[in-house]
Amino acid sequence: MDLVSKYQGYVGRVFGNENSGSSEDSYIERLLDRISNGVLAEDRRAAMAELQSAVPESQAAQLAFGAMGFPILLSVLKEERDDLELVRGALETLLGALTPVAHSRGPKNEVQPALMNSDLLSREVDSISLLLSLLSDEDFYVRYFTIQLLTALLTNSPSRLQEAILTIPRGITRLMDMLMDREVIRNEALLLLTYLTREAEEIQKIVVFEGAFEKIFSIVKEEGGSEGGVVVQDCLELLNNLLRNNASNQVLLRETMGLDPLMSILRGTTYKFTQQKTINILSVLETIHLLMIRGREADPGKEKNSLTNKTVLVQKKVLDHLLMLGVENQWAPVPVRCMALQCIGDLIAGHPQNRDSLASKVLGEEPHVEPALNSILRIILRTSSVQEFVSADYVFKSFCEKNPDGQTMLASTLIPQPQLMTHAPFEDDVHMSFGSMLLHGLTMSESNGDLETCCRAASVLSHVLKDNMECKERVLKIKLEAPMPSLGGPEPLMHRMVKYLALSSSMNGNDGKSSGSGNAYVQPFILKLLVIWLSSCPNAVQYFLDSRPHLTYLLELVSNPAMTVCVRGLAAVLLGECVIFNKSNDSGRDALSIADAVSQKIGLTSYFLKFDEMQKSLLFTSAKPTLSRKQLTRSSAASMAEIEDVDENEAIDLKNDHAMLVSTFDSQFVNFLKHLEGEIREKTVEIYSHPKSQVAVVPAELEQRNGEANGDYIKRLKTFVEKQCLEIQDLLSRNATLAEDLARTGGDGSSELERRPSAGAERVQVEALRRDLHEASQRLEMLKAEKTKIESEASMYRNLAGKMEADLKSLSDAYNSLEQTNFHLEKEVKAPSSGGAVPIPDVETLKAEAREEAQKESEAELNDLFVCLGQEQSKVERLSARLMELGEDVEKLLEDIGDDPGLPEDEED
């Protein structure tokens, strides 16, 4: 692409023709012509010197040069390497064209020639390759101006230069070789690599492969460690760029160089802290932090690498160095103390062995030694720096998270002190246990009326109680003595916290703004403690509701427009917990009574809107998973090192109040509140979808009337109950639908309730269908039993019929035998008698008598058989009718019985 035509077209579209033909254009054009077409070397050098002076002076000259000069000067760099003066002049001119004019004060939206020139130069890969080749030139100034030119290019067009360098063979290698050059060039190369490795993973890997770790720590050692100047800062910034979110580079550092060089930098800290030394120590602490963070994505590999780094760091005694910087060293600046405390929190987060190591640490010298956790708690209660409080509070959050044994250990020390110790000054807390010091901080407002210390102690107590039922139950039993004996006996710690909450409300003006120091975040801190305390703990809910004014105060707090959105929302959550975790059956304190109170005093629509307002607030939408830390660079380091002046010399302002609230409303607590909100909405719908468990009035229709028969009374009761059931189902359906609508009011459309628009009515219908199904199942079971009984009886009758058929067959056989006998007798009678004197009996008479006698005998037996068969036939008919009612196929059953083929056809004969 033609650089000149492209640039001229772009400038023409932006500026039109205003600057065409101007004196600047003609002057720059004449100088470029002399350089390009001049015959005498001295004349060309003089023109280059004039151009070198003119370009950085004005934006017009930079624009004119950008439109015409790049091809000419790039040609000089490529073809006239032997003329060092001309090459140096060309490099300085290019550098001037890429450097913004210092005294220019144009409009913000005005096009910057330096940026346009940088973009133009970085588009051509050949130009970057040409500049990288100049790094191997023997002349010191050529190498120096070239690396400065590359830095200017990278500052204005970082992504394009990164892509260009990656495409050039050995491009990164040439830059790494500059780290072994003379000190001035080395420092410039270090700065260039620092810019180049920001968010460029491929370049980071190549730089590490080229031995960056060894060269970085060699320069740091040469410059004097933490006592070194800005070069040490640049080295550590480059190191941080290489380690940030790059597990492979972290593993390579751990397994090659090790972490001892980092410990040596920390080990060199003394009591004197200059600004540059403070920045260097902050950079080392950021390196330690980068080695311990898990990353945003849930990657098992990064998680394992983080745990390994934490283990190695503790083995290298980093915890001792961090405790010295963050807790013991009183001369360390506030930013260093804060960063050290944050690193302690990172070091113990999710690592049981490191938590145990911190719990066993003691600080100080004999006889004034105390556990490290006590010293960190004292920082929380005493410090005047908001950032230091936030950092120290993060240590306890990391220590207590998923650590029930550690929480129980801390809670076991919560023992109330005598009244004299309660009012003792802070200077006497050295001899107190952790729990006594914490209770002392919670009750300090009794003597000085300052609730800031109380809310800080409440934050620590919330970490101790979170997700630990044993600790919640233990702290419930703590009772504090009244400030004065005349004010009554001991009161539970929970009631004292509610009392301080009410006291902080009274300290606010009508406009809801704090009238005293720290009160802007006192209420959210105490409300957070109560929300965590009551979560999943019915006994804590009972303790809270034991005092009737507590519920009244909460209702007023939710509906008070003078309170902040955050306070109203947290109070609404606390009210909801009194519903969903309420196991009481006492009238007036059960879940239904609390829900009725909310409905009557606030209104369900207004109540649920408090959740939505809180969810849309800035605190919730900007919640972060952990403490937010700015990336330490040259531009941000100076401002971070000056935090101490703001914190120690100025009063806590709105910005610090916001920092306190942001530390409280991290993403974990915000997600916890969102989960509670869903449960509260579901529980509200459930309460209004079911009838009360008790019937207060018995209707008169249930009484039996005078002279009313029992059968009529039962029929009337059945009709009444059916009518009542239908009315109740209808009321429950409408009530549930109403509760659903209220629960969805103002929601964000993502809740489960909104995805089920008629869930309340469906729930009632499902209950009715479930009862009908249960009744049908019972009836089916009864029918199945009756069917089994009938089948057994049918089988019995089937067997009896078979027996009778067998008897009838036997009788038929006997009759046939008798016939045969009669036939033989007749035959014998008809035979001629050998003796004529014997009288021949009347054969016909004898045969008639025998037949008559046999016929009478057989008729009697057949009559008995027919009577039995008639009885069995009637039973079979009844069974057949019953089986047809049950849906059985009677014909099929009768086919199984069948007719007996052995019966003779002439049975009646």
Side-chain angles (χ1 to χ4, degrees):
M1 180 181 292
D2 186 0
L3 300 183
V4 176
S5 61
K6 181 177 69 174
Y7 193 83
Q8 287 176 340
Y10 188 70
V11 172
R13 287 195 302 270
V14 175
F15 292 97
N17 297 321
E18 292 180 7
N19 297 325
S20 59
S22 64
S23 58
E24 289 283 356
D25 288 353
S26 58
Y27 177 60
I28 298 297
E29 185 178 359
R30 287 196 305 272
L31 293 176
L32 290 173
D33 182 68
R34 289 169 59 188
I35 296 172
S36 176
N37 301 319
V39 177
L40 299 177
E42 290 298 331
D43 183 58
R44 298 179 64 200
R45 293 176 190 143
M48 182 69 75
E50 292 183 35
L51 184 64
Q52 175 185 337
S53 301
V55 168
E57 291 298 323
S58 67
Q59 292 186 353
Q62 289 181 336
L63 282 173
F65 173 81
M68 299 174 282
F70 280 114
I72 297 173
L73 294 196
L74 289 177
S75 176
V76 170
L77 295 177
K78 186 177 182 180
E79 299 174 1
E80 302 187 41
R81 292 281 189 92
D82 296 336
D83 194 339
L84 287 179
E85 185 176 350
L86 198 62
V87 170
R88 291 176 186 174
L91 289 172
E92 286 195 68
T93 303
L94 290 173
L95 181 61
L98 270 57
T99 304
V101 178
H103 58 269
S104 176
R105 292 291 184 270
K108 292 184 178 181
N109 58 352
E110 182 180 359
V111 175
Q112 299 296 324
L115 297 179
M116 296 175 63
N117 291 340
S118 300
D119 181 72
L120 177 62
L121 184 59
S122 63
R123 285 180 182 273
E124 299 298 333
V125 178
D126 293 340
S127 62
I128 304 300
S129 177
L130 175 62
L131 293 176
L132 288 176
S133 66
L134 293 174
L135 292 177
S136 58
D137 195 277
E138 295 181 357
D139 185 70
F140 168 80
Y141 289 102
V142 170
R143 299 197 305 273
Y144 178 71
F145 292 132
T146 300
I147 203 163
Q148 279 194 326
L149 182 58
L150 288 171
T151 303
L153 267 175
L154 187 61
T155 304
N156 296 331
S157 302
S159 58
R160 188 156 295 152
L161 184 61
Q162 289 172 349
E163 295 173 1
I165 290 180
L166 282 174
T167 60
I168 298 173
R170 299 189 74 252
I172 302 295
T173 304
R174 293 177 183 176
L175 294 177
M176 291 297 297
D177 292 341
M178 294 295 99
L179 294 179
M180 309 306 295
D181 207 322
R182 294 167 62 176
E183 182 177 350
V184 177
I185 295 180
R186 180 202 67 185
N187 296 346
E188 291 294 332
L190 192 60
L191 186 60
L192 174 63
L193 288 170
T194 300
Y195 291 147
L196 198 61
T197 53
R198 289 178 184 172
E199 301 180 359
E201 187 173 353
E202 292 299 324
I203 295 180
Q204 293 172 4
K205 292 179 180 179
I206 299 174
V207 169
V208 170
F209 182 76
E210 294 291 338
F213 291 143
E214 294 84 353
K215 294 175 181 178
I216 287 173
F217 286 117
S218 175
I219 296 173
V220 170
K221 184 177 180 180
E222 181 182 341
E223 292 292 325
S226 61
E227 301 288 346
V230 71
V231 177
V232 174
Q233 176 187 347
D234 292 337
C235 285
L236 294 175
E237 185 178 347
L238 175 59
L239 177 64
N240 293 340
N241 290 344
L242 299 177
L243 298 178
R244 185 174 289 106
N245 298 324
N246 197 319
S248 60
N249 286 353
Q250 294 179 11
V251 173
L252 187 62
L253 172 64
R254 187 177 67 236
E255 296 181 354
T256 54
M257 293 288 296
L259 304 182
D260 290 320
L262 291 176
M263 300 303 103
S264 64
I265 299 176
L266 287 178
R267 199 177 298 117
T269 57
T270 57
Y271 303 109
K272 184 179 180 181
F273 288 86
T274 61
Q275 184 183 37
Q276 187 58 55
K277 182 179 179 180
T278 299
I279 294 174
N280 293 343
I281 294 176
L282 288 176
S283 300
V284 177
L285 293 176
E286 185 183 13
T287 306
I288 296 174
H289 163 70
L290 293 174
L291 291 172
M292 296 184 293
I293 60 175
R294 307 175 187 178
R296 297 179 181 177
E297 298 83 6
D299 187 351
K302 290 184 178 180
E303 179 77 15
K304 183 179 179 180
N305 177 64
S306 172
L307 293 175
T308 304
N309 289 341
K310 292 179 182 181
T311 302
V312 175
L313 285 170
V314 170
Q315 292 173 355
K316 299 297 182 181
K317 307 295 182 183
V318 72
L319 184 57
D320 296 333
H321 296 301
L322 295 176
L323 288 172
M324 173 61 71
L325 285 174
V327 182
E328 292 186 281
N329 195 336
Q330 300 177 0
W331 291 270
V334 171
V336 172
R337 298 202 302 265
C338 293
M339 193 66 179
L341 289 170
Q342 292 172 18
C343 287
I344 294 174
D346 293 333
L347 192 65
I348 63 176
H351 200 296
Q353 292 79 13
N354 290 359
R355 287 197 298 252
D356 296 339
S357 179
L358 176 63
S360 61
K361 289 289 183 182
V362 292
L363 304 179
E365 299 179 358
E366 293 291 347
H368 304 291
V369 295
E370 67 173 351
L373 290 176
N374 288 27
S375 300
I376 298 174
L377 176 61
R378 184 178 296 106
I379 292 175
I380 290 177
L381 300 178
R382 286 187 179 185
T383 182
S384 59
S385 167
V386 171
Q387 282 78 7
E388 191 171 12
F389 157 72
V390 171
S391 302
D393 186 71
Y394 175 66
V395 174
F396 280 102
K397 176 187 174 184
S398 301
F399 181 82
C400 295
E401 189 171 0
K402 297 180 181 179
N403 183 21
D405 294 336
Q407 291 174 304
T408 304
M409 181 267 292
L410 295 178
S412 64
T413 63
L414 290 168
I415 302 174
Q417 296 296 312
Q419 188 67 25
L420 294 178
M421 289 298 295
T422 303
H423 294 280
F426 258 139
E427 287 71 14
D428 297 339
D429 61 5
V430 180
H431 307 290
M432 295 182 183
S433 65
F434 175 87
S436 300
M437 193 188 309
L438 184 60
L439 291 175
H440 186 206
L442 288 170
T443 57
M444 276 294 291
S445 59
E446 296 290 346
S447 57
N448 58 14
D450 184 13
L451 292 173
E452 182 177 352
T453 304
C454 172
C455 81
R456 293 184 178 188
S459 179
V460 177
L461 183 58
S462 67
H463 299 319
V464 176
L465 300 182
K466 184 180 180 182
D467 299 330
N468 194 313
M469 189 62 65
E470 181 181 352
C471 292
K472 293 179 181 180
E473 297 285 354
R474 180 191 293 269
V475 179
L476 276 179
K477 301 175 183 178
I478 296 178
K479 294 185 180 295
L480 302 176
E481 295 183 5
M484 298 176 61
S486 60
L487 297 180
E491 63 178 336
L493 176 62
M494 176 181 285
H495 292 190
R496 184 71 65 88
M497 291 295 98
V498 180
K499 173 183 174 183
Y500 293 156
L501 179 63
L503 181 61
S504 64
S505 300
S506 65
M507 297 173 67
N508 287 346
N510 295 330
D511 57 353
K513 295 183 179 180
S514 173
S515 59
S517 175
N519 286 325
Y521 49 83
V522 169
Q523 289 174 298
F525 273 60
I526 298 179
L527 283 170
K528 177 184 177 181
L529 169 62
L530 293 175
V531 167
I532 292 176
W533 201 342
L534 267 61
S535 175
S536 303
C537 187
N539 288 339
V541 173
Q542 194 64 32
Y543 261 72
F544 182 83
L545 296 176
D546 279 343
S547 179
R548 186 67 182 177
H550 289 176
L551 179 60
T552 304
Y553 171 69
L554 266 189
L555 293 170
E556 294 176 353
L557 198 61
V558 172
S559 57
N560 188 354
M563 295 294 110
T564 63
V565 171
C566 175
V567 171
R568 293 199 302 268
L570 288 176
V573 172
L574 195 58
L575 268 178
E577 287 183 322
C578 293
V579 175
I580 60 178
F581 302 121
N582 193 325
K583 304 301 181 184
S584 175
N585 295 323
D586 298 341
S587 177
R589 291 193 297 181
D590 60 336
L592 182 59
S593 300
I594 305 300
D596 286 341
V598 172
S599 178
Q600 295 171 8
K601 301 293 184 180
I602 305 174
L604 290 181
T605 303
S606 177
Y607 173 71
F608 287 122
L609 282 176
K610 300 299 184 292
F611 292 101
D612 302 318
E613 292 173 357
M614 181 173 63
Q615 298 285 358
K616 296 174 182 177
S617 65
L618 179 62
L619 287 175
F620 274 65
T621 56
S622 61
K624 296 179 176 58
T626 56
L627 290 179
S628 58
R629 299 180 175 92
K630 288 184 178 181
Q631 183 175 335
L632 197 64
T633 61
R634 266 198 178 191
S635 57
S636 63
S639 60
M640 291 185 64
E642 295 172 355
I643 296 178
E644 182 175 17
D645 298 334
V646 176
D647 286 337
E648 295 186 354
N649 299 328
E650 296 182 7
I652 299 177
D653 54 8
L654 293 177
K655 181 178 179 181
N656 290 336
D657 292 346
H658 182 71
M660 293 277 282
L661 292 174
V662 168
S663 70
T664 302
F665 291 91
D666 55 8
S667 61
Q668 293 180 357
F669 185 60
V670 168
N671 293 332
F672 169 70
L673 292 181
K674 290 180 180 179
H675 176 71
L676 277 180
E677 177 191 353
E679 290 188 357
I680 293 169
R681 293 178 185 268
E682 289 282 351
K683 185 67 174 180
T684 304
V685 173
E686 181 182 349
I687 287 176
Y688 286 102
S689 301
H690 289 77
K692 296 183 179 180
S693 59
Q694 298 178 353
V695 179
V697 180
V698 178
E701 289 83 352
L702 296 180
E703 300 293 338
Q704 187 173 8
R705 300 170 183 171
N706 293 331
E708 186 178 18
N710 290 337
D712 296 336
Y713 177 55
I714 292 174
K715 290 181 180 179
R716 186 168 57 81
L717 286 182
K718 184 179 179 181
T719 303
F720 176 79
V721 171
E722 290 177 352
K723 180 181 178 182
Q724 291 293 315
C725 287
L726 292 175
E727 292 179 356
I728 289 174
Q729 295 298 325
D730 182 59
L731 288 174
L732 288 178
S733 177
R734 285 185 291 172
N735 203 9
T737 304
L738 177 60
E740 289 280 0
D741 293 339
L742 290 175
R744 290 197 307 270
T745 301
D748 57 359
S750 60
S751 67
E752 183 180 357
L753 291 173
E754 187 150 337
R755 291 194 296 269
R756 297 179 299 156
S758 58
E762 289 176 359
R763 187 183 294 110
V764 176
Q765 294 175 4
V766 168
E767 291 290 339
L769 291 175
R770 187 180 291 111
R771 287 194 296 270
D772 294 342
L773 179 61
H774 182 66
E775 294 175 0
S777 300
Q778 289 181 339
R779 186 176 180 185
L780 182 60
E781 292 296 331
M782 293 173 60
L783 292 175
K784 286 182 179 179
E786 189 173 354
K787 174 186 174 184
T788 304
K789 181 180 178 182
I790 292 174
E791 288 177 348
S792 63
E793 291 180 358
S795 177
M796 182 184 67
Y797 289 133
R798 190 183 300 115
N799 295 334
L800 183 59
K803 182 180 179 183
M804 290 181 178
E805 289 176 358
D807 293 341
L808 182 60
K809 183 178 180 182
S810 299
L811 183 59
S812 176
D813 291 341
Y815 180 76
N816 291 334
S817 178
L818 183 61
E819 286 287 338
Q820 291 178 0
T821 302
N822 188 28
F823 175 76
H824 288 300
L825 288 175
E826 288 180 355
K827 186 176 182 181
E828 290 177 357
V829 170
K830 291 180 179 180
S833 176
S834 59
V838 181
I840 298 174
D842 188 357
V843 177
E844 294 296 334
T845 304
L846 291 175
K847 187 167 66 173
E849 290 177 357
R851 184 183 292 111
E852 183 179 358
E853 184 179 354
Q855 188 173 1
K856 288 181 180 179
E857 185 178 349
S858 62
E859 284 179 357
E861 291 181 357
L862 284 174
N863 288 334
D864 293 339
L865 182 59
F866 286 148
V867 170
C868 292
L869 287 175
Q871 293 176 352
E872 297 306 319
Q873 181 65 28
S874 64
K875 293 182 178 180
V876 170
E877 290 176 355
R878 291 197 302 270
L879 289 175
S880 298
R882 185 58 176 166
L883 289 173
M884 290 178 67
E885 292 178 0
L886 296 174
E888 296 289 340
D889 190 354
V890 179
E891 296 297 334
K892 187 177 180 180
L893 292 175
L894 292 178
E895 287 177 4
D896 297 336
I897 298 175
D899 297 328
D900 191 342
L903 290 177
E905 294 180 0
D906 56 346
E907 178 178 321
E908 293 183 0
D909 297 338

